[in-house]
Amino acid sequence: MLAARHFLRRTFSSALATHRDTAYNNRDTPFDFTEENYQKITTILTHYPPQYKRSATINLLYLAQKQCDGWVPLAAMNKIAKILEISEMDVYEVCSFYTMFNREPVGKYHLQVCGTTPCMIRGAQDIIKTIEHECGIIKDQTSKDGLFTLTEVECLGCCANAPMLQVNGEKVYEDLTPETMKAMIDAWKAGKEPKVGPQNGRTCAEGIQGRTTLKAQPNVWPDRDFAKAKDDYQKRLEAEAQKKKEEAAAAAAKK
Amino acid sequence: MLKLCQKISRHFKTSSRLLNNIEVFVDGTPVSVAPDYSILQACQKAGVVVPHFCFHERLAVSGNCRMCIVEIEKMPKVMTACSMPVSPGMRINTKSEKTYNARGGVMEFLLANHPLDCPICDQGGECDLQDQSALYGYKIGRFMEYKRAVEDKNYGPLVATVMTRCIHCTRCIRFYEEVAGIPILGTTGRGRETEVGTYVEKMVHSELSGNLVDLCPVGALTNAPYAFTARPWELRNVMSIDPTDSITPSIEISCKGGEVKRVLPRLHEEVNEEWIHDRSRHAFDGLKRQRLNACLKKKADGSYEELTWKDALEVLAEEVSKTSGNDMVGIIGEFMDVEAVVAFRDLMYKLGCENIDAKKNGVKLSPDFRNNYLMNSRISGIEEADLLLVIGANLRLDSPVINARVRKATVLNGLNVGLIGTDDYLTYDHTHLGTSTSALTDLLKGTHPFAKTLEKAKFPMILVGANVLKREDGEAVNSVIQEIAKKYNVIKPESNWNGYNVLHNEVGTVAALEVGITSEYDPKAKPKFMYLLGADNFKPDEIPDDAFVVYQGTHGDEGASRANLILPGASYVEKSGSYVNTDGRVSLGKKAIPAPGQAKADWEILRALSEVLGQTLPYDNLQEIRYRIAELAPHLIKYDYVEPYSLSWHTVPVKGEVNKTVISDFIDNFYMTDAISRASPTMAKCSEAFNPARNTNFVPEVPIR
Ligand code: SF4
Ligand code: FES
């Protein structure tokens, strides 16, 4: 079925701004939130005043996208409009504005490669080429086996570990090289899950030679016993009060 | 149902604490403005033009075109004038270098993606973008990249779209959402890919859709039937009014040569604000089709013989002389001007005939008291009222312009709307009280749940659709309504409020009532001679087979097909005349183009006929007939004025029984309600597109755009 879908070419990292009815995505496609998601919706709606229910649009769209394996069908948008008592157009506007919402089905692994400057300098284009080659797709397409969709996105905030890749909007793979990328794709194809995080063995955003600075316990603040300090303070207050009392008593005696 | 009131928050409002006017300086000149003014309005008040695209007085402020930016002293950056409220002592600089550069920059961005197709664009010559880029833009563009292209949308047969030209001012979106009450348009996508449209493939449809064309500041939405027929500088514009809508909205008739090219609304705060509905705007092309342009006599074999005016009037005179006054019946048509009605009345009375009917099965409303048959709270009263009870009218179809005002009142003033009659989507929240007359009787008894609300209302308004009065038991129903009005204090002389309103749908009826024509015609009588003065919407079985029927009018429609003698009349764009609307407002229609063929203004025909009959009417020109009108009813020559009428209450005694049938709305096809719109190809396309269920057998020659 996947092969039969026609995929709309995206430019500037956003899909076509209008909807085209297809066999798998039209007004009458059945859609309803699961019972579990309905409970989540109830919780979400408590976060907003009842007259501003529309504020929950993005949350609900996100829920719908999770429930539908990474994309939001038209029927889901209409459902959300009903739940939030807003016009359908309002939901379409939000959903088509944010590129994080896919309005067309994506593969099992939605590969979002960052193409912004730091990643680009560190070879993001090679990563994209590797994926294109390995999966037999070009940007914004889904592979024939329905496993991979490739998109180029803007900065995802892992510049220190460039180049990087985000999968399904959740898992982040960093420090990629064409080789590691290929290995990862092979793993996915074989049904395995490659390790999340940097692919060249480093931890988090540390330098490749390991941790070089800030090794010792910082010694900036002297150790301080807060309980004792509090105690001292209490005692001082009491002493002062006592002193005041005595002075007053002395003054009264003088008179 | 959408919570439409939520939209209030998007309207432009400033603090209500400041009540006095405040002073601001526009280019050094002090102006005193209301505290809720925006800078743009303050500039306008000071007579300084601030270029803008997205700002529109009747729509919420959106501030997204950025064209209106001005410099304000002590502010680090330029500000959008439309969305920034004034504050005391503000110094606004609209002529500074900074303002100039900012405007140029905005214009450069707007033009970055705007196609350079002015020579083939219908908006050319009246395009805000064109004008403003000439005035405020840079001479040279620096944008070397490809321009984007956007696919066109389906806005129906009235609005042509070239969405590539859209500058995303969102006026059309706001119009549909706020005025038309159909939140169907929006901006989808982002950045360069932003599009204005419906997102899903569906046709945009509203009875007010033609107004989009006026709102769109560029050529993205243009008038489809008018496409490529004229340039604005070739048009001759005549300021007139439209009698085909019973509120007589002010219109501008644009003509080129002897032809009407388009109709635009004109501003009239108390009547149509700035809107007209699609029939007002587009039905005029029916004036070129099916027109009667020669005097015709039906021969015995059913064919027609063309006569000269002289012969025709002689034939007519002969018939008249054969008949006595009592056997004659005159019927006044829906779009008749006061002049024609008065001439007709005078002539018929001279001939001894008192059977003149203007309502076609309507109730015999007494013309003695104007408040019995007019819209007493006026159209603008809708905004003062706090409760509106509509009886037997589907406002969205009967009078879309009034409906837009009701919608505005529900959103801004929280007007409470109740409806008795067939329920429909009216574009605002309303309570449906019931479909049949029993809701009325319940209300009178006080047993209806809505009775409490009605009791509490400070300024209640009851709007009775003319269709109610056309029912068989119309008189009884009307008196029940009047009883209700009495019981719930709908008329409050102490606060100068009369909430009993009749919404007519034909100006001819109002004109007849205004000159005191009581409908004494008994439909069961068998007249021998019938004079149809432009009357088309009647039941054929009302006319006896052996009667001699004269039809004087514009179109070969129902009336003409039954007529034995046809006299061609001029339509509302071809004659000057005064009309009275459902408010009681008298307004002047102007002649825009010459009448086709032998057609003449109606009162002129009647005057000529009177001479042939030897009963010469004593007026020879428009001036003189208006003196005659003034004799009958002096207020009818006070134009654009509603003569105040008494607030005292004159109820009609109940006649007959109310039968508990459904109050149905009689408009079954908004696009074809009268002879003109039935002859109009544009209206035919509309009913094909929007009203397929109630379609005609019309087959368009060219596919619908
Ligand atoms: S179509 Fe016209 S009115 Fe609508 S957003 Fe575009 S420019 Fe504005
Ligand atoms: S008119 Fe002010 S931003 Fe458009």
Side-chain angles (χ1 to χ4, degrees), chain A:
Chain A
M1 192 195 82
L2 263 174
R5 295 173 181 176
H6 72 278
F7 293 99
L8 304 158
R9 179 93 186 116
R10 300 165 176 216
T11 49
F12 291 88
S13 71
S14 61
L16 213 62
T18 49
H19 165 84
R20 296 271 192 279
D21 275 350
T22 49
Y24 58 88
N25 188 16
N26 55 52
R27 287 193 80 82
D28 307 320
T29 323
F31 173 85
D32 205 355
F33 284 109
T34 57
E35 206 37 60
E36 191 188 337
N37 277 346
Y38 266 121
Q39 267 159 27
K40 280 191 196 157
I41 291 173
T42 321
T43 326
I44 291 169
L45 287 182
T46 58
H47 300 173
Y48 308 101
Q51 73 270 38
Y52 298 122
K53 265 202 240 175
R54 57 169 64 227
S55 314
T57 312
I58 292 186
N59 297 18
L60 263 55
L61 280 169
Y62 184 68
L63 271 186
Q65 173 152 317
K66 282 210 97 171
Q67 186 180 318
C68 298
D69 301 326
W71 70 292
V72 194
L74 187 72
M77 296 188 221
N78 294 346
K79 185 88 210 170
I80 291 170
K82 254 218 190 83
I83 294 173
L84 300 180
E85 292 174 24
I86 53 181
S87 70
E88 291 172 358
M89 194 63 221
D90 289 348
V91 185
Y92 302 155
E93 283 182 331
V94 171
C95 190
S96 64
F97 182 84
Y98 291 102
T99 53
M100 287 79 126
F101 293 124
N102 303 310
R103 286 166 292 123
E104 282 294 316
V106 289
K108 190 172 170 206
Y109 302 103
H110 183 199
L111 312 179
Q112 297 165 304
V113 184
C114 168
T116 311
T117 322
C119 283
M120 186 199 73
I121 293 170
R122 297 279 296 143
Q125 289 311 315
D126 296 339
I127 304 297
I128 289 176
K129 271 195 207 117
T130 316
I131 298 175
E132 286 181 347
H133 185 254
E134 290 299 317
C135 308
I137 46 174
I138 58 167
K139 260 191 267 174
D140 307 316
Q141 281 189 341
T142 302
S143 60
K144 286 230 172 63
D145 52 11
L147 274 185
F148 304 103
T149 301
L150 170 64
T151 6
E152 183 180 327
V153 297
E154 303 307 324
C155 184
L156 290 171
C158 296
C159 310
N161 296 42
M164 64 83 62
L165 161 80
Q166 179 179 263
V167 176
N168 290 346
E170 280 172 349
K171 292 178 183 162
V172 172
Y173 302 86
E174 298 144 312
D175 294 312
L176 306 171
T177 57
E179 293 74 43
T180 47
M181 191 65 238
K182 187 170 179 304
M184 277 160 60
I185 290 174
D186 289 342
W188 277 319
K189 278 186 181 162
K192 283 182 241 151
E193 280 293 326
K195 182 174 81 75
V196 179
Q199 299 297 310
N200 61 351
R202 68 159 145 165
T203 349
C204 301
E206 280 173 16
I208 193 74
Q209 59 276 60
R211 202 168 187 175
T212 53
T213 52
L214 304 180
K215 280 177 148 170
Q217 183 73 15
N219 200 13
V220 184
W221 297 101
D223 283 349
R224 199 167 165 190
D225 188 344
F226 285 99
K228 186 169 168 286
K230 201 179 166 190
D231 248 22
D232 287 352
Y233 180 67
Q234 274 311 331
K235 272 186 198 141
R236 204 167 73 232
L237 281 187
E238 272 162 31
E240 264 166 27
Q242 186 63 31
K243 206 172 157 196
K244 256 192 198 145
K245 233 188 229 164
E246 277 165 17
E247 269 171 17
K254 236 182 206 171
K255 265 185 192 168

Side-chain angles (χ1 to χ4, degrees), chain B residues 206-420:
Chain B
S206 155
E207 283 71 30
L208 293 165
S209 67
N211 296 300
L212 287 183
V213 173
D214 301 337
L215 286 171
C216 185
V218 296
L221 308 178
T222 50
N223 191 329
Y226 163 75
F228 310 123
T229 52
R231 281 297 193 187
W233 55 86
E234 299 167 337
L235 297 172
R236 189 169 44 85
N237 298 326
V238 180
M239 307 302 162
S240 185
I241 56 105
D242 175 23
T244 63
D245 184 346
S246 66
I247 63 165
T248 62
S250 300
I251 55 166
E252 181 180 325
I253 305 172
S254 304
C255 336
K256 184 177 157 192
E259 242 183 88
V260 178
K261 286 291 172 197
R262 67 171 176 190
V263 166
L264 297 179
R266 271 192 300 140
L267 192 74
H268 196 311
E269 285 298 345
E270 282 153 53
V271 180
N272 58 322
E273 301 181 273
E274 221 164 290
W275 324 120
I276 53 175
H277 61 67
D278 289 350
R279 194 152 32 84
S280 282
R281 188 186 296 260
H282 289 290
F284 69 84
D285 60 355
L287 293 174
K288 282 186 294 195
R289 308 254 164 21
Q290 296 275 69
R291 269 315 280 275
L292 303 170
N293 56 7
C295 304
L296 298 173
K297 183 174 178 244
K298 198 186 220 166
K299 289 193 284 190
D301 61 353
S303 65
Y304 289 95
E305 179 192 0
E306 204 172 314
L307 300 177
T308 61
W309 270 114
K310 190 163 169 290
D311 294 345
L313 292 182
E314 268 160 15
V315 170
L316 179 48
E318 204 189 306
E319 277 304 324
V320 170
S321 60
K322 275 195 262 171
T323 330
S324 77
N326 286 337
D327 288 334
M328 292 187 204
V329 162
I331 298 187
I332 295 171
E334 48 266 51
F335 307 140
M336 276 304 131
D337 49 329
V338 182
E339 285 80 358
V341 172
V342 165
F344 191 58
R345 170 189 186 274
D346 286 354
L347 179 63
M348 293 307 261
Y349 283 5
K350 276 198 177 189
L351 295 177
C353 162
E354 298 225 334
N355 308 331
I356 309 179
D357 181 29
K359 286 158 294 288
K360 286 165 265 135
N361 318 322
V363 150
K364 290 182 192 107
L365 285 168
S366 148
D368 297 342
F369 304 106
R370 294 182 82 212
N371 50 6
N372 271 357
Y373 61 84
L374 288 178
M375 206 164 150
N376 296 309
S377 353
R378 316 247 178 112
I379 299 167
S380 48
I382 294 170
E383 280 166 56
E384 290 156 35
D386 57 352
L387 183 138
L388 172 67
L389 179 61
V390 184
I391 302 169
N394 181 344
L395 285 184
R396 190 167 64 88
L397 300 179
D398 275 337
S399 188
V401 180
I402 289 189
N403 198 47
R405 210 188 265 264
V406 174
R407 172 168 162 75
K408 183 169 127 192
T410 52
V411 173
L412 291 181
N413 309 342
L415 175 71
N416 195 347
V417 184
L419 170 71
I420 300 180

Side-chain angles (χ1 to χ4, degrees), chain B residues 40 51-55 61-69 80-83:
Chain B
L40 192 122
H52 59 267
F53 294 111
C54 70
F55 175 80
V61 172
S62 69
N64 54 8
C65 74
R66 318 310 285 177
M67 192 59 205
C68 62
I69 42 185
T80 48
C82 68
S83 53

Side-chain angles (χ1 to χ4, degrees), chain B residues 387 416 431-434 438-439 442-443 445-456 488:
Chain B
L387 183 138
N416 195 347
T431 325
H432 185 225
L433 274 65
S438 55
D442 285 355
L443 214 51
K445 273 185 260 155
T447 50
H448 199 283
F450 197 74
K452 285 226 171 57
T453 330
L454 188 57
E455 215 159 64
K456 270 188 236 133
Y488 293 97

